[in-house]
Protein backbone atom coordinates (compact mmCIF):
# COMPACT_ATOMS: atom_id res chain seq x y z
CA UNK A 1 0.00 0.00 0.00
CA UNK A 2 1.50 3.36 -0.94
CA UNK A 3 1.05 6.67 0.85
CA UNK A 4 -2.40 8.10 0.22
CA UNK A 5 -1.13 11.47 -0.81
CA UNK A 6 -4.14 12.85 -2.55
CA UNK A 7 -6.04 13.34 0.66
CA UNK A 8 -3.27 15.27 2.41
CA UNK A 9 -2.85 17.70 -0.47
CA UNK A 10 -5.81 19.93 0.38
CA UNK A 11 -4.57 23.24 1.73
CA UNK A 12 -6.66 22.99 4.89
CA UNK A 13 -4.81 19.94 6.13
CA UNK A 14 -1.26 20.85 5.11
CA UNK A 15 1.12 20.79 8.05
CA UNK A 16 4.57 22.15 7.29
CA UNK A 17 7.91 20.74 8.40
CA UNK A 18 8.27 23.76 10.68
CA UNK A 19 5.77 21.99 12.94
CA UNK A 20 7.50 18.61 13.01
CA UNK A 21 8.53 17.25 16.39
CA UNK A 22 10.48 14.04 16.89
CA UNK A 23 9.35 12.08 19.92
CA UNK A 24 12.49 10.54 21.31
CA UNK A 25 10.80 7.13 21.66
CA UNK A 26 11.16 6.85 17.87
CA UNK A 27 14.94 6.61 18.34
CA UNK A 28 14.72 5.19 21.81
CA UNK A 29 18.26 3.83 21.99
CA UNK A 30 19.71 7.35 21.76
CA UNK A 31 20.39 9.47 24.81
CA UNK A 32 18.60 12.78 25.13
CA UNK A 33 21.71 14.69 24.01
CA UNK A 34 22.13 12.50 20.94
CA UNK A 35 18.47 12.86 20.05
CA UNK A 36 18.75 16.64 20.36
CA UNK A 37 21.75 16.76 18.02
CA UNK A 38 19.93 14.39 15.64
CA UNK A 39 17.04 16.87 15.47
CA UNK A 40 19.43 19.72 14.76
CA UNK A 41 21.21 17.72 12.04
CA UNK A 42 17.88 17.01 10.34
CA UNK A 43 16.38 20.45 10.81
CA UNK A 44 13.63 19.16 13.10
CA UNK A 45 12.55 22.10 15.27
CA UNK A 46 10.95 20.32 18.23
CA UNK A 47 11.31 17.25 20.40
CA UNK A 48 9.07 15.11 22.58
CA UNK A 49 10.91 13.90 25.68
CA UNK A 50 10.62 10.86 27.92
CA UNK A 51 11.16 11.05 31.64
CA UNK A 52 13.62 8.16 31.88
CA UNK A 53 15.95 9.82 29.39
CA UNK A 54 15.56 13.17 31.14
CA UNK A 55 16.43 11.57 34.47
CA UNK A 56 19.46 9.85 33.00
CA UNK A 57 20.76 13.20 31.71
CA UNK A 58 19.69 15.15 34.78
CA UNK A 59 16.77 17.56 34.64
CA UNK A 60 18.72 20.83 34.56
CA UNK A 61 21.25 19.45 32.08
CA UNK A 62 18.45 18.09 29.87
CA UNK A 63 16.67 21.45 29.87
CA UNK A 64 19.94 23.19 29.06
CA UNK A 65 20.72 20.72 26.25
CA UNK A 66 17.41 21.19 24.44
CA UNK A 67 17.62 24.97 24.88
CA UNK A 68 21.17 25.04 23.58
CA UNK A 69 20.03 23.02 20.56
CA UNK A 70 17.27 25.56 19.94
CA UNK A 71 14.59 22.89 20.23
CA UNK A 72 11.04 23.42 21.39
CA UNK A 73 9.75 20.72 23.77
CA UNK A 74 6.36 19.64 22.46
CA UNK A 75 5.63 17.16 25.23
CA UNK A 76 6.97 15.25 28.16
CA UNK A 77 5.98 11.58 28.32
CA UNK A 78 4.53 10.66 30.64
CA UNK A 79 2.47 10.95 33.77
CA UNK A 80 -0.57 8.94 34.72
CA UNK A 81 -0.85 5.31 35.88
CA UNK A 82 -2.93 6.42 38.83
CA UNK A 83 -5.33 3.47 39.12
CA UNK A 84 -4.05 2.12 42.41
CA UNK A 85 -6.24 0.67 45.15
CA UNK A 86 -3.84 0.76 48.06
CA UNK A 87 -3.26 4.16 49.66
CA UNK A 88 0.51 3.79 49.52
CA UNK A 89 0.50 3.04 45.80
CA UNK A 90 -1.85 5.90 45.19
CA UNK A 91 0.27 8.34 47.16
CA UNK A 92 3.37 7.22 45.29
CA UNK A 93 1.61 7.62 41.93
CA UNK A 94 0.49 11.14 42.80
CA UNK A 95 3.95 12.09 44.03
CA UNK A 96 5.45 10.77 40.82
CA UNK A 97 2.96 12.81 38.79
CA UNK A 98 3.81 15.95 40.77
CA UNK A 99 7.46 15.33 39.99
CA UNK A 100 6.55 14.93 36.31
CA UNK A 101 4.69 18.26 36.38
CA UNK A 102 7.76 19.96 37.85
CA UNK A 103 9.95 18.40 35.15
CA UNK A 104 7.54 19.50 32.40
CA UNK A 105 7.68 23.06 33.78
CA UNK A 106 11.46 23.10 33.89
CA UNK A 107 11.66 21.73 30.34
CA UNK A 108 9.04 24.17 29.04
CA UNK A 109 7.01 21.28 27.58
CA UNK A 110 3.72 22.16 25.88
CA UNK A 111 2.04 19.29 27.74
CA UNK A 112 2.63 16.50 30.17
CA UNK A 113 1.11 13.46 28.46
CA UNK A 114 -1.03 11.31 30.77
CA UNK A 115 -1.44 7.58 30.17
CA UNK A 116 -4.03 7.16 32.85
CA UNK A 117 -3.68 3.52 33.88
CA UNK A 118 -5.68 0.32 33.36
CA UNK A 119 -7.96 -1.62 35.66
CA UNK A 120 -7.08 -1.51 39.32
CA UNK A 121 -4.89 -4.58 39.98
CA UNK A 122 -7.09 -7.48 41.07
CA UNK A 123 -10.32 -5.69 40.14
CA UNK A 124 -12.59 -5.65 37.12
CA UNK A 125 -14.62 -2.53 37.78
CA UNK A 126 -14.07 -0.01 34.97
CA UNK A 127 -16.15 2.60 36.76
CA UNK A 128 -13.93 2.51 39.83
CA UNK A 129 -10.80 2.84 37.72
CA UNK A 130 -12.26 5.73 35.75
CA UNK A 131 -13.29 7.55 38.92
CA UNK A 132 -9.76 7.11 40.27
CA UNK A 133 -8.38 8.74 37.14
CA UNK A 134 -10.73 11.70 37.50
CA UNK A 135 -9.94 12.06 41.21
CA UNK A 136 -6.21 11.94 40.60
CA UNK A 137 -6.34 14.55 37.86
CA UNK A 138 -8.38 16.73 40.19
CA UNK A 139 -5.67 16.44 42.81
CA UNK A 140 -2.96 17.33 40.30
CA UNK A 141 -4.67 20.38 38.80
CA UNK A 142 -3.54 22.92 41.43
CA UNK A 143 0.10 21.90 40.97
CA UNK A 144 -0.26 22.03 37.19
CA UNK A 145 -1.76 25.52 37.41
CA UNK A 146 0.86 26.72 39.88
CA UNK A 147 3.65 25.68 37.53
CA UNK A 148 1.85 26.54 34.28
CA UNK A 149 1.85 22.99 32.92
CA UNK A 150 -1.00 21.51 30.89
CA UNK A 151 -1.87 17.89 31.47
CA UNK A 152 -2.75 16.11 28.24
CA UNK A 153 -5.05 13.11 28.68
CA UNK A 154 -4.16 10.65 25.94
CA UNK A 155 -6.87 8.11 25.14
CA UNK A 156 -5.23 4.78 24.41
CA UNK A 157 -6.52 2.22 21.94
CA UNK A 158 -9.21 0.02 23.54
CA UNK A 159 -6.87 -2.98 23.27
CA UNK A 160 -4.92 -1.38 26.14
CA UNK A 161 -7.97 -0.76 28.33
CA UNK A 162 -7.19 -3.54 30.80
CA UNK A 163 -3.54 -2.80 31.39
CA UNK A 164 -2.64 0.74 30.32
CA UNK A 165 -5.57 3.15 30.09
CA UNK A 166 -9.23 2.90 30.95
CA UNK A 167 -9.66 6.11 28.94
CA UNK A 168 -10.13 4.62 25.48
CA UNK A 169 -11.72 7.22 23.23
CA UNK A 170 -11.18 10.88 22.51
CA UNK A 171 -14.78 11.55 23.52
CA UNK A 172 -14.16 10.04 26.93
CA UNK A 173 -10.90 11.95 27.34
CA UNK A 174 -12.61 15.21 26.38
CA UNK A 175 -15.50 14.60 28.80
CA UNK A 176 -12.89 14.13 31.50
CA UNK A 177 -10.82 17.17 30.52
CA UNK A 178 -13.89 19.41 30.47
CA UNK A 179 -14.37 18.79 34.19
CA UNK A 180 -11.22 20.82 34.88
CA UNK A 181 -9.91 24.28 33.95
CA UNK A 182 -8.74 24.59 30.36
CA UNK A 183 -5.37 26.01 31.37
CA UNK A 184 -4.60 22.83 33.31
CA UNK A 185 -6.13 19.88 31.46
CA UNK A 186 -6.48 19.03 27.78
CA UNK A 187 -6.33 16.00 25.51
CA UNK A 188 -3.73 14.49 23.20
CA UNK A 189 -4.67 12.85 19.90
CA UNK A 190 -2.42 9.98 18.83
CA UNK A 191 -3.50 8.54 15.49
CA UNK A 192 -2.46 4.99 16.46
CA UNK A 193 -5.00 4.97 19.27
CA UNK A 194 -7.98 6.72 17.73
CA UNK A 195 -7.90 6.33 13.92
CA UNK A 196 -10.66 3.69 13.91
CA UNK A 197 -13.24 5.82 15.72
CA UNK A 198 -16.26 6.77 13.60
CA UNK A 199 -16.81 9.71 15.95
CA UNK A 200 -13.24 11.01 15.68
CA UNK A 201 -13.87 14.04 13.53
CA UNK A 202 -16.76 15.19 15.74
CA UNK A 203 -14.73 14.58 18.86
CA UNK A 204 -11.72 16.52 17.58
CA UNK A 205 -14.09 19.39 16.86
CA UNK A 206 -15.49 19.16 20.37
CA UNK A 207 -12.04 18.94 21.98
CA UNK A 208 -10.63 21.75 19.88
CA UNK A 209 -13.22 24.40 20.40
CA UNK A 210 -14.25 26.52 22.09
CA UNK A 211 -12.30 25.43 25.17
CA UNK A 212 -9.06 24.71 23.31
CA UNK A 213 -8.50 21.36 24.92
CA UNK A 214 -6.36 19.90 22.16
CA UNK A 215 -2.84 20.13 23.57
CA UNK A 216 -0.99 17.58 21.46
CA UNK A 217 -1.12 15.72 18.17
CA UNK A 218 1.01 12.61 17.72
CA UNK A 219 1.23 10.60 14.54
CA UNK A 220 2.37 7.16 13.46
CA UNK A 221 0.80 4.52 11.26
CA UNK A 222 -1.05 1.27 12.12
CA UNK A 223 0.70 -1.71 10.57
CA UNK A 224 -0.84 -4.98 9.48
CA UNK A 225 -0.47 -7.58 10.76
CA UNK A 226 -0.02 -6.43 14.35
CA UNK A 227 3.12 -7.85 16.02
CA UNK A 228 3.00 -10.06 19.11
CA UNK A 229 3.25 -7.09 21.43
CA UNK A 230 0.60 -4.72 20.12
CA UNK A 231 2.44 -1.77 21.61
CA UNK A 232 4.90 -2.05 18.75
CA UNK A 233 2.59 -2.25 15.73
CA UNK A 234 3.43 1.30 14.71
CA UNK A 235 5.10 2.37 11.52
CA UNK A 236 6.35 5.31 9.53
CA UNK A 237 3.59 7.47 8.08
CA UNK A 238 2.37 5.84 4.89
CA UNK A 239 3.49 2.29 5.76
CA UNK A 240 0.13 1.31 7.24
CA UNK A 241 -3.59 1.85 6.93
CA UNK A 242 -4.26 5.19 8.61
CA UNK A 243 -5.86 7.90 6.50
CA UNK A 244 -4.01 10.94 7.89
CA UNK A 245 -5.67 13.48 5.64
CA UNK A 246 -9.10 13.66 7.29
CA UNK A 247 -7.65 13.46 10.82
CA UNK A 248 -5.16 16.26 10.16
CA UNK A 249 -7.87 18.30 8.46
CA UNK A 250 -10.02 17.98 11.60
CA UNK A 251 -7.09 19.00 13.78
CA UNK A 252 -6.34 21.96 11.51
CA UNK A 253 -10.01 22.97 11.37
CA UNK A 254 -10.10 23.64 15.11
CA UNK A 255 -7.08 25.89 14.85
CA UNK A 256 -4.53 23.60 16.44
CA UNK A 257 -1.21 25.27 15.72
CA UNK A 258 1.10 23.27 17.96
CA UNK A 259 3.78 20.82 16.96
CA UNK A 260 3.00 17.43 15.47
CA UNK A 261 5.02 14.67 17.06
CA UNK A 262 6.12 11.59 15.20
CA UNK A 263 6.19 8.84 17.82
CA UNK A 264 6.84 5.32 16.58
CA UNK A 265 7.38 2.23 18.71
CA UNK A 266 8.76 -0.40 16.36
CA UNK A 267 11.67 -2.78 16.80
CA UNK A 268 12.83 -2.57 13.16
CA UNK A 269 12.91 1.20 13.34
CA UNK A 270 14.80 1.06 16.62
CA UNK A 271 17.31 -1.25 14.96
CA UNK A 272 17.83 1.15 12.03
CA UNK A 273 20.51 3.88 12.06
CA UNK A 274 19.05 6.96 13.76
CA UNK A 275 19.99 9.29 10.89
CA UNK A 276 18.14 7.06 8.46
CA UNK A 277 15.10 7.12 10.75
CA UNK A 278 15.17 10.90 11.15
CA UNK A 279 15.47 11.40 7.40
CA UNK A 280 12.55 9.07 6.77
CA UNK A 281 10.44 10.78 9.45
CA UNK A 282 10.96 14.13 7.67
CA UNK A 283 10.35 12.72 4.21
CA UNK A 284 7.11 10.94 5.18
CA UNK A 285 5.88 13.89 7.21
CA UNK A 286 6.27 16.12 4.17
CA UNK A 287 4.67 13.57 1.84
CA UNK A 288 1.75 12.48 4.01
CA UNK A 289 0.94 15.55 6.12
CA UNK A 290 2.49 18.35 4.09
CA UNK A 291 0.87 17.53 0.79
CA UNK A 292 4.35 17.11 -0.71
CA UNK B 1 -7.91 -13.23 39.40
CA UNK B 2 -10.98 -15.17 40.52
CA UNK B 3 -14.49 -14.90 39.14
CA UNK B 4 -16.14 -11.72 40.33
CA UNK B 5 -19.26 -13.42 41.58
CA UNK B 6 -20.68 -10.71 43.76
CA UNK B 7 -21.67 -8.55 40.84
CA UNK B 8 -23.54 -11.27 38.97
CA UNK B 9 -25.61 -12.24 41.99
CA UNK B 10 -28.17 -9.44 41.74
CA UNK B 11 -31.48 -10.85 40.58
CA UNK B 12 -31.77 -8.42 37.67
CA UNK B 13 -28.72 -9.83 35.96
CA UNK B 14 -29.19 -13.52 36.65
CA UNK B 15 -29.23 -15.58 33.48
CA UNK B 16 -30.18 -19.22 34.00
CA UNK B 17 -28.59 -22.26 32.37
CA UNK B 18 -31.79 -22.70 30.39
CA UNK B 19 -30.52 -19.81 28.26
CA UNK B 20 -27.03 -21.17 27.65
CA UNK B 21 -25.96 -21.71 24.07
CA UNK B 22 -22.66 -23.24 23.02
CA UNK B 23 -21.15 -21.65 19.96
CA UNK B 24 -19.49 -24.44 18.09
CA UNK B 25 -16.30 -22.39 17.59
CA UNK B 26 -15.59 -23.08 21.27
CA UNK B 27 -15.05 -26.75 20.37
CA UNK B 28 -14.06 -26.05 16.81
CA UNK B 29 -12.40 -29.39 16.12
CA UNK B 30 -15.72 -31.21 16.52
CA UNK B 31 -18.09 -31.80 13.66
CA UNK B 32 -21.57 -30.34 13.87
CA UNK B 33 -23.05 -33.72 14.83
CA UNK B 34 -20.51 -34.24 17.59
CA UNK B 35 -21.10 -30.72 18.91
CA UNK B 36 -24.85 -31.37 18.95
CA UNK B 37 -24.44 -34.56 20.96
CA UNK B 38 -21.99 -32.77 23.26
CA UNK B 39 -24.68 -30.16 23.99
CA UNK B 40 -27.21 -32.90 24.73
CA UNK B 41 -24.77 -34.72 27.02
CA UNK B 42 -24.18 -31.53 28.98
CA UNK B 43 -27.78 -30.35 29.05
CA UNK B 44 -27.02 -27.28 26.95
CA UNK B 45 -30.27 -26.30 25.21
CA UNK B 46 -28.98 -24.23 22.28
CA UNK B 47 -26.15 -24.07 19.80
CA UNK B 48 -24.47 -21.42 17.66
CA UNK B 49 -23.45 -22.80 14.27
CA UNK B 50 -20.70 -21.97 11.78
CA UNK B 51 -21.27 -22.16 8.08
CA UNK B 52 -18.19 -24.27 7.27
CA UNK B 53 -19.35 -26.99 9.65
CA UNK B 54 -22.89 -26.77 8.31
CA UNK B 55 -21.61 -27.15 4.75
CA UNK B 56 -19.46 -30.12 5.71
CA UNK B 57 -22.50 -31.87 7.18
CA UNK B 58 -24.87 -30.72 4.46
CA UNK B 59 -27.51 -28.09 5.16
CA UNK B 60 -30.56 -30.37 5.36
CA UNK B 61 -28.68 -32.97 7.39
CA UNK B 62 -27.36 -30.27 9.73
CA UNK B 63 -30.84 -28.87 10.28
CA UNK B 64 -32.17 -32.37 10.91
CA UNK B 65 -29.35 -33.15 13.35
CA UNK B 66 -29.92 -30.12 15.54
CA UNK B 67 -33.70 -30.65 15.46
CA UNK B 68 -33.29 -34.32 16.38
CA UNK B 69 -31.05 -33.27 19.28
CA UNK B 70 -33.76 -30.86 20.46
CA UNK B 71 -31.41 -27.90 20.17
CA UNK B 72 -32.39 -24.34 19.46
CA UNK B 73 -30.10 -22.54 16.98
CA UNK B 74 -29.19 -19.21 18.54
CA UNK B 75 -27.11 -17.96 15.64
CA UNK B 76 -25.41 -18.80 12.40
CA UNK B 77 -21.88 -17.42 11.98
CA UNK B 78 -21.38 -15.62 9.77
CA UNK B 79 -22.21 -13.31 6.92
CA UNK B 80 -20.58 -10.01 6.11
CA UNK B 81 -17.15 -9.22 4.63
CA UNK B 82 -18.78 -6.98 2.06
CA UNK B 83 -16.12 -4.28 1.73
CA UNK B 84 -15.00 -5.08 -1.79
CA UNK B 85 -14.10 -2.49 -4.39
CA UNK B 86 -14.28 -4.57 -7.54
CA UNK B 87 -17.76 -5.35 -8.83
CA UNK B 88 -17.05 -9.06 -9.15
CA UNK B 89 -15.88 -9.35 -5.56
CA UNK B 90 -18.86 -7.36 -4.39
CA UNK B 91 -21.32 -9.53 -6.33
CA UNK B 92 -19.69 -12.67 -4.94
CA UNK B 93 -19.89 -11.30 -1.39
CA UNK B 94 -23.57 -10.47 -1.76
CA UNK B 95 -24.33 -13.88 -3.26
CA UNK B 96 -22.53 -15.54 -0.40
CA UNK B 97 -24.56 -13.50 2.08
CA UNK B 98 -27.80 -14.47 0.34
CA UNK B 99 -26.75 -18.10 0.66
CA UNK B 100 -26.05 -17.53 4.35
CA UNK B 101 -29.51 -16.03 4.82
CA UNK B 102 -31.08 -19.09 3.21
CA UNK B 103 -29.03 -21.35 5.48
CA UNK B 104 -30.03 -19.38 8.57
CA UNK B 105 -33.69 -19.73 7.56
CA UNK B 106 -33.41 -23.49 7.04
CA UNK B 107 -31.63 -23.88 10.38
CA UNK B 108 -34.14 -21.69 12.22
CA UNK B 109 -31.34 -19.51 13.57
CA UNK B 110 -32.31 -16.51 15.69
CA UNK B 111 -29.84 -14.37 13.76
CA UNK B 112 -27.26 -14.43 11.02
CA UNK B 113 -24.22 -12.77 12.56
CA UNK B 114 -22.55 -10.20 10.31
CA UNK B 115 -18.83 -9.46 10.56
CA UNK B 116 -18.94 -6.57 8.16
CA UNK B 117 -15.42 -6.44 6.74
CA UNK B 118 -12.40 -4.17 7.15
CA UNK B 119 -10.95 -1.48 4.94
CA UNK B 120 -11.37 -2.01 1.23
CA UNK B 121 -8.21 -3.78 0.04
CA UNK B 122 -5.65 -1.20 -1.09
CA UNK B 123 -7.62 1.71 0.36
CA UNK B 124 -7.56 3.66 3.61
CA UNK B 125 -10.91 5.41 3.49
CA UNK B 126 -13.03 4.33 6.46
CA UNK B 127 -16.02 6.30 5.18
CA UNK B 128 -16.05 4.41 1.89
CA UNK B 129 -15.86 1.06 3.67
CA UNK B 130 -18.64 2.01 6.07
CA UNK B 131 -20.88 3.16 3.24
CA UNK B 132 -20.25 -0.15 1.46
CA UNK B 133 -21.40 -2.01 4.56
CA UNK B 134 -24.59 0.04 4.76
CA UNK B 135 -25.28 -0.40 1.05
CA UNK B 136 -24.74 -4.16 1.21
CA UNK B 137 -27.03 -4.57 4.21
CA UNK B 138 -29.65 -2.55 2.35
CA UNK B 139 -29.39 -4.94 -0.57
CA UNK B 140 -29.74 -7.96 1.71
CA UNK B 141 -32.75 -6.73 3.68
CA UNK B 142 -35.45 -7.86 1.23
CA UNK B 143 -34.06 -11.40 1.16
CA UNK B 144 -33.79 -11.44 4.96
CA UNK B 145 -37.40 -10.29 5.27
CA UNK B 146 -38.62 -12.76 2.67
CA UNK B 147 -37.06 -15.65 4.58
CA UNK B 148 -37.74 -14.29 8.06
CA UNK B 149 -34.08 -14.05 9.04
CA UNK B 150 -32.65 -11.29 11.21
CA UNK B 151 -29.20 -9.98 10.37
CA UNK B 152 -27.17 -9.25 13.49
CA UNK B 153 -24.47 -6.62 13.00
CA UNK B 154 -21.64 -7.50 15.35
CA UNK B 155 -19.31 -4.64 16.20
CA UNK B 156 -15.77 -6.00 16.40
CA UNK B 157 -13.09 -4.70 18.72
CA UNK B 158 -11.34 -1.64 17.22
CA UNK B 159 -8.13 -3.66 16.94
CA UNK B 160 -9.85 -5.48 14.04
CA UNK B 161 -10.98 -2.30 12.27
CA UNK B 162 -8.44 -2.53 9.46
CA UNK B 163 -8.90 -6.16 8.54
CA UNK B 164 -12.21 -7.52 9.85
CA UNK B 165 -14.82 -4.91 10.66
CA UNK B 166 -15.01 -1.17 10.19
CA UNK B 167 -17.99 -1.29 12.54
CA UNK B 168 -16.19 -1.01 15.87
CA UNK B 169 -18.66 0.06 18.53
CA UNK B 170 -22.15 -0.92 19.56
CA UNK B 171 -23.26 2.66 19.02
CA UNK B 172 -22.09 2.55 15.43
CA UNK B 173 -23.73 -0.84 14.84
CA UNK B 174 -26.99 0.42 16.31
CA UNK B 175 -26.94 3.58 14.19
CA UNK B 176 -26.52 1.33 11.18
CA UNK B 177 -29.24 -1.14 12.21
CA UNK B 178 -31.73 1.66 12.83
CA UNK B 179 -31.58 2.58 9.15
CA UNK B 180 -33.36 -0.69 8.32
CA UNK B 181 -36.55 -2.44 9.43
CA UNK B 182 -36.37 -3.99 12.90
CA UNK B 183 -37.57 -7.38 11.66
CA UNK B 184 -34.55 -7.59 9.35
CA UNK B 185 -31.57 -5.97 11.05
CA UNK B 186 -30.35 -5.91 14.63
CA UNK B 187 -27.10 -5.96 16.56
CA UNK B 188 -25.11 -8.61 18.41
CA UNK B 189 -23.21 -7.84 21.60
CA UNK B 190 -20.04 -9.88 22.12
CA UNK B 191 -18.34 -9.00 25.39
CA UNK B 192 -14.85 -9.55 23.97
CA UNK B 193 -15.37 -6.76 21.47
CA UNK B 194 -17.21 -4.15 23.51
CA UNK B 195 -16.40 -4.57 27.21
CA UNK B 196 -14.04 -1.56 27.28
CA UNK B 197 -16.61 0.96 26.00
CA UNK B 198 -17.58 3.64 28.52
CA UNK B 199 -20.82 4.11 26.55
CA UNK B 200 -21.71 0.41 26.55
CA UNK B 201 -24.55 0.48 29.04
CA UNK B 202 -26.19 3.46 27.30
CA UNK B 203 -25.75 1.82 23.92
CA UNK B 204 -27.24 -1.48 25.05
CA UNK B 205 -30.24 0.49 26.32
CA UNK B 206 -30.54 2.25 22.98
CA UNK B 207 -30.16 -0.97 20.98
CA UNK B 208 -32.56 -2.88 23.17
CA UNK B 209 -35.50 -0.55 23.21
CA UNK B 210 -37.89 0.41 21.87
CA UNK B 211 -36.96 -1.10 18.50
CA UNK B 212 -35.74 -4.41 19.90
CA UNK B 213 -32.53 -4.44 17.91
CA UNK B 214 -30.60 -6.68 20.28
CA UNK B 215 -30.65 -10.05 18.51
CA UNK B 216 -27.72 -11.83 20.14
CA UNK B 217 -25.53 -11.83 23.22
CA UNK B 218 -22.20 -13.66 23.11
CA UNK B 219 -19.84 -13.99 26.03
CA UNK B 220 -16.22 -14.85 26.63
CA UNK B 221 -13.49 -13.25 28.71
CA UNK B 222 -10.56 -11.00 27.74
CA UNK B 223 -7.27 -12.56 28.78
CA UNK B 224 -4.06 -10.79 29.71
CA UNK B 225 -1.59 -10.79 28.13
CA UNK B 226 -3.10 -10.99 24.66
CA UNK B 227 -1.60 -13.76 22.51
CA UNK B 228 0.24 -13.10 19.24
CA UNK B 229 -2.94 -13.45 17.23
CA UNK B 230 -5.37 -11.21 19.05
CA UNK B 231 -8.30 -13.19 17.67
CA UNK B 232 -7.46 -15.87 20.20
CA UNK B 233 -7.14 -13.86 23.42
CA UNK B 234 -10.45 -15.18 24.68
CA UNK B 235 -11.01 -17.24 27.75
CA UNK B 236 -13.59 -19.00 29.88
CA UNK B 237 -15.82 -16.63 31.83
CA UNK B 238 -13.96 -15.58 34.96
CA UNK B 239 -10.46 -16.22 33.62
CA UNK B 240 -9.96 -12.65 32.41
CA UNK B 241 -10.79 -9.05 33.20
CA UNK B 242 -14.35 -8.58 31.96
CA UNK B 243 -16.94 -7.49 34.49
CA UNK B 244 -19.93 -9.50 33.21
CA UNK B 245 -22.36 -8.34 35.88
CA UNK B 246 -23.03 -4.80 34.65
CA UNK B 247 -23.09 -5.87 30.98
CA UNK B 248 -25.55 -8.68 31.64
CA UNK B 249 -27.64 -6.39 33.82
CA UNK B 250 -27.87 -3.91 30.93
CA UNK B 251 -28.84 -6.70 28.55
CA UNK B 252 -31.46 -7.99 31.00
CA UNK B 253 -32.78 -4.48 31.65
CA UNK B 254 -33.87 -4.07 28.02
CA UNK B 255 -35.78 -7.33 28.18
CA UNK B 256 -33.45 -9.46 26.09
CA UNK B 257 -34.73 -12.97 26.61
CA UNK B 258 -32.77 -14.83 23.95
CA UNK B 259 -29.98 -17.32 24.38
CA UNK B 260 -26.54 -16.34 25.60
CA UNK B 261 -23.79 -17.90 23.53
CA UNK B 262 -20.44 -18.85 24.93
CA UNK B 263 -18.01 -18.40 22.05
CA UNK B 264 -14.33 -18.79 22.86
CA UNK B 265 -11.46 -18.79 20.38
CA UNK B 266 -8.48 -20.11 22.29
CA UNK B 267 -5.89 -22.70 21.32
CA UNK B 268 -5.59 -24.21 24.80
CA UNK B 269 -9.35 -24.69 25.00
CA UNK B 270 -9.39 -26.22 21.53
CA UNK B 271 -6.69 -28.64 22.66
CA UNK B 272 -8.68 -29.68 25.75
CA UNK B 273 -11.15 -32.61 25.69
CA UNK B 274 -14.52 -31.31 24.48
CA UNK B 275 -16.41 -32.77 27.44
CA UNK B 276 -14.12 -30.94 29.82
CA UNK B 277 -14.70 -27.70 27.89
CA UNK B 278 -18.49 -28.13 27.88
CA UNK B 279 -18.54 -28.86 31.62
CA UNK B 280 -16.44 -25.80 32.31
CA UNK B 281 -18.62 -23.62 30.07
CA UNK B 282 -21.68 -24.65 32.10
CA UNK B 283 -19.96 -24.24 35.44
CA UNK B 284 -18.60 -20.77 34.66
CA UNK B 285 -21.87 -19.65 33.08
CA UNK B 286 -23.70 -20.56 36.27
CA UNK B 287 -21.08 -18.95 38.50
CA UNK B 288 -20.50 -15.74 36.56
CA UNK B 289 -23.86 -15.06 34.88
CA UNK B 290 -26.26 -17.06 37.00
CA UNK B 291 -25.20 -15.75 40.37
CA UNK B 292 -24.32 -19.31 41.38
Amino acid sequence: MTANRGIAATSASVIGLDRLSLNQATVKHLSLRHTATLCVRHDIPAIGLWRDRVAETGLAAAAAAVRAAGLHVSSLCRGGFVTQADPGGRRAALADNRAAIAEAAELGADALVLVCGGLVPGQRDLGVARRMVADAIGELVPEAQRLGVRLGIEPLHPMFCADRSVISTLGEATDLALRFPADAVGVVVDTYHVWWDARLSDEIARAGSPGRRLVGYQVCDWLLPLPQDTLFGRGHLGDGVIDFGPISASVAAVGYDGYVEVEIFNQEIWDAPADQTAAKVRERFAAVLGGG
Side-chain angles (χ1 to χ4, degrees), chain A residues 168-172 193-203:
Chain A
S168 303
T169 64
L170 182 58
E172 210 184 335
H193 296 302
V194 300
W195 70 274
W196 56 271
D197 188 350
R199 296 188 44 76
L200 184 60
S201 170
D202 289 346
E203 292 298 346

Side-chain angles (χ1 to χ4, degrees), chain A residues 90-211:
Chain A
R90 182 178 160 74
R91 267 195 306 274
L94 286 170
D96 187 53
N97 275 277
R98 288 196 183 93
I101 291 169
E103 291 159 29
E106 172 89 17
L107 294 162
D110 290 337
L112 173 65
V113 174
L114 298 187
V115 172
C116 295
L119 291 168
V120 179
Q123 297 190 21
R124 293 191 178 89
D125 192 324
L126 278 166
V128 162
R130 287 171 176 150
R131 281 192 294 280
M132 271 185 200
V133 171
D135 289 349
I137 292 174
E139 290 198 40
L140 295 171
V141 160
E143 186 74 354
Q145 290 185 302
R146 192 175 71 80
L147 295 178
V149 170
R150 293 184 92 188
L151 308 175
I153 303 168
E154 178 170 331
L156 255 57
H157 194 284
M159 67 187 172
F160 301 121
C161 184
D163 52 355
R164 281 193 158 69
S165 176
V166 291
I167 307 300
S168 303
T169 64
L170 182 58
E172 210 184 335
T174 301
D175 285 342
L176 185 52
L178 287 169
R179 296 167 62 176
F180 304 105
D183 64 341
V185 187
V187 297
V188 173
V189 170
D190 180 327
T191 55
Y192 187 71
H193 296 302
V194 300
W195 70 274
W196 56 271
D197 188 350
R199 296 188 44 76
L200 184 60
S201 170
D202 289 346
E203 292 298 346
I204 290 173
R206 194 163 68 93
S209 69

